[in-house]
Amino acid sequence: MSGKVLVLHGPNLNLLGTREPDIYGHETLADIDNGLREHALLAGWELSSRQSNHEGELIDAIHAARVDGTVAIIINPAAFTHTSVAILDALNAFDGSVIEVHLSNVHKRESFRHHSYVSLRADGVIAGLGSQGYHAALEALIKKG
Ligand code: DQA
């Protein structure tokens, strides 16, 4: 079985590697995306990724995924996790699988990070495993087929 997966990264994740490395690690976003693309390719899957600091651009990418054959979205909405009904609504209009990933364990951090709008839609949520969380999400999708 093979499929097309979209990985979406929200605001400030373009700074990975230099942004609070004690919390988010030393890998850059390019390191993470390259590793994920290789992982997908080995399984015969197609993976594309997109980062944006703008809520509307993430919503537009979700809309595009509704009609371009994408079977699953792995999303780290970053701070929009805790604020964006609009991203939740867009994901509700997407028919495939949705997995929410956070590099840090948001439940161990400030209380405003404990609530996620996106979790109301996500089929699975992974937090606190660093970049391995994205790979765990991808592997779950591949195994599910
Ligand atoms: C994050 C956690 C969010 O609370 C934060 O705003 C981020 C990154 C994470 O990956 O741990 O930007 O989504």
Side-chain angles (χ1 to χ4, degrees), residues 10-13 16 19-20 23-24 76-82 100-106 109-110 112-114 126-128 134:
N12 301 305
L13 293 173
L16 282 181
R19 172 196 184 199
E20 300 181 271
I23 297 177
Y24 297 115
N76 182 347
F80 291 145
T81 307
H82 319 298
E100 176 183 349
V101 172
H102 299 283
L103 294 155
S104 65
N105 180 359
V106 283
R109 300 179 63 193
E110 303 96 322
F112 65 82
R113 296 186 203 275
H114 297 177
I126 299 169
Y134 294 99

Side-chain angles (χ1 to χ4, degrees), residues 6-106:
L6 173 66
V7 181
L8 285 178
H9 305 283
N12 301 305
L13 293 173
N14 54 310
L15 301 180
L16 282 181
T18 57
R19 172 196 184 199
E20 300 181 271
D22 44 320
I23 297 177
Y24 297 115
H26 291 277
E27 271 175 292
T28 66
L29 193 62
D31 293 335
I32 292 174
D33 284 341
N34 290 339
L36 285 171
R37 218 171 16 254
E38 269 176 41
H39 182 164
L41 273 177
L42 283 173
W45 282 49
E46 184 187 335
L47 181 143
S48 62
S49 42
R50 174 93 192 269
Q51 187 276 333
S52 179
N53 295 321
H54 305 280
E55 193 173 12
E57 285 185 7
L58 294 166
I59 291 166
D60 288 345
I62 295 166
H63 291 181
R66 297 175 76 228
V67 293
D68 71 357
T70 297
V71 298
I73 296 176
I74 296 172
I75 182 167
N76 182 347
F80 291 145
T81 307
H82 319 298
T83 63
S84 182
V85 175
I87 289 177
L88 169 64
D89 284 350
L91 290 169
N92 278 335
F94 172 75
D95 285 336
S97 301
V98 174
I99 304 187
E100 176 183 349
V101 172
H102 299 283
L103 294 155
S104 65
N105 180 359
V106 283

